[in-house]
Amino acid sequence: MTSVPEPLLPGSMIGLLGGGQLAQMLVLAGHAMGFRFIVLDPAPNCPAALAGATQITAAYDDFAVLAELADACDVVSYEFENVNADAVAWLEERVDLPQGSQLLRISQNRLREKTFLQKLAVPVAPFQKIITEKDVTVAFEELGELMLKTVTGGYDGRGQARISSTAQIPEAFSALSQAKTEIVAEQFVPFEREISVIVARNRMGEIRCFTPAENLHKKNILTISRIPARLVPEVSEQAQTVAKKIAEGLELVGVLGVEMFVLPDGKLLVNEIAPRPHNSGHFTQNACVSSQFEQHLRAITNLALGSTELYKPALMLNILGEHLPLLLEKLKDLPPEAKLHLYGKQDCRSGRKMGHLNLTSDSLESLLEPLQKLGVWDADLLNKML
Ligand code: AMP
């Protein structure tokens, strides 16, 4: 048996690759736990630096800088999947990096991810590897309606095209080929709802899940999460069992977001996994005993995991660039249940995640009227979720 690792004490230095909003929220949670942070991010004044982390402004594959980071830190973590896996593997040899490069290699490549999940006997939508345009036609004949996706580099719906007829194939294939990465064709899933489970595991093998969230996307970007997801208890249990199985299979250390489709008959298909705190887990900041950020830090610093108990049902609304100006005009009209989180990003662009709003209530439906009155979020989307 391997020995139980010692917890990192307050005052320890945590290094983060990536200084976006996820890193910012890790820093905010970690300061309350007594940890200190250094973040590596190529963009100056990144959100994590605004929250008080020391920033090294450099590329993720600047090895001199990575060596400096390894020397300065007790443990290093990454906040997003698109960091260079070779650089992470190099770093892993020099400093404790509990998430590891292997997890990164799997989750940053959709083909590897699906193959890995299949090996664990976790159901995923049928898929085929695409090399030529002809392959798409063959996949369409065999699988029917498709989602074509780039295998690497895509996020928030970038690098995706839906194919409902053969006439759409040439344009979609040509657009995705520009990215110069492999392509995968997935069967289009006629899901009833989308859900996600945030699961955490530490080195002692302790595993805990948060309550499944139900998620609504617009233009493939998460807009609203509702917690608990509207599921019968057996499906909710099953979703958590699947998430735990993946965490165990990966020997996860940290938190992982597992996105799933729920079919009308209650069957679950895993869409993708994200080896870090996840946008659909932001509700945990105000609705749970431990937030997903605290949980991630507990896991990577060898502490016991915190309770994931949900105090109250919750709604999380993403504040995208197009929402922010009106929201700022309506600040005084926010309902009293609302907790506003803004990331301090200067460049307010449409589709860019600028912040989020968490609301907790015993009756989520009662939030519909005040939120519709606010007029910031699409009334149809709110109606679907409340
Ligand atoms: P992804 O980047 O894989 O998370 O996809 C973004 C969003 O596109 C998902 O949250 C779904 O709403 C939609 N989507 C992705 N793959 C499929 C699929 N195979 N069938 C139906 N919708 C999908």
Side-chain angles (χ1 to χ4, degrees), residues 101-179:
S101 57
Q102 203 45 36
L103 174 56
L104 196 62
R105 283 189 204 283
I106 292 173
S107 56
Q108 64 185 198
N109 180 303
R110 290 187 192 271
L111 276 169
R112 268 187 233 140
E113 181 175 273
K114 287 175 194 302
T115 310
F116 173 82
L117 292 170
Q118 280 184 326
K119 272 196 201 135
L120 284 180
V122 167
V124 296
F127 64 94
Q128 288 181 9
K129 184 174 168 175
I130 300 297
I131 296 170
T132 63
E133 192 182 309
K134 177 90 191 353
D135 294 340
V136 187
T137 310
V138 172
F140 188 82
E141 277 161 11
E142 288 179 17
L143 303 178
E145 199 171 336
L146 299 174
M147 281 298 272
L148 216 54
K149 300 180 180 179
T150 54
V151 166
T152 58
Y155 64 96
D156 283 346
R158 277 168 244 213
Q160 294 197 11
R162 181 171 167 177
I163 310 245
S164 314
S165 74
T166 45
Q168 294 171 314
I169 294 176
E171 196 187 327
F173 179 78
S174 145
L176 264 67
S177 300
Q178 310 278 323

Side-chain angles (χ1 to χ4, degrees), residues 22 26 77-82 99-100 102-110 113-114 116-117 154-156 195-201 210 215 217 222 243 246-247 250 252-260 270-282 292-293 296 353:
L22 297 176
L26 283 168
S77 181
Y78 46 80
E79 62 128 22
F80 75 130
E81 303 74 289
N82 292 325
Q99 287 152 297
Q102 203 45 36
L103 174 56
L104 196 62
R105 283 189 204 283
I106 292 173
S107 56
Q108 64 185 198
N109 180 303
R110 290 187 192 271
E113 181 175 273
K114 287 175 194 302
F116 173 82
L117 292 170
Y155 64 96
D156 283 346
I195 62 163
S196 55
V197 177
I198 311 299
V199 58
R201 183 179 174 279
F210 288 97
N215 304 319
H217 296 81
L222 180 65
I246 297 172
L250 288 167
L252 174 73
V253 179
V255 304
L256 176 85
V258 183
E259 297 178 24
M260 306 179 204
V270 171
N271 175 32
E272 63 177 359
I273 57 175
R276 49 165 173 79
H278 192 260
N279 193 169
S280 68
H282 291 355
Q292 62 166 346
F293 302 101
H296 183 71
K353 292 174 182 172

Side-chain angles (χ1 to χ4, degrees), residues 21-22 25-26 29 197-200 210 254-257 274 276-286 288-299 305 307-308 316 356:
Q21 65 267 18
L22 297 176
M25 292 182 271
L26 283 168
V197 177
I198 311 299
V199 58
F210 288 97
V255 304
L256 176 85
R276 49 165 173 79
H278 192 260
N279 193 169
S280 68
H282 291 355
F283 72 94
T284 58
Q285 290 173 309
N286 302 112
C288 294
V289 175
S290 321
S291 75
Q292 62 166 346
F293 302 101
E294 177 182 339
Q295 195 76 308
H296 183 71
L297 295 169
R298 281 171 175 261
L305 297 181
S307 162
T308 54
M316 191 284 308
H356 64 276

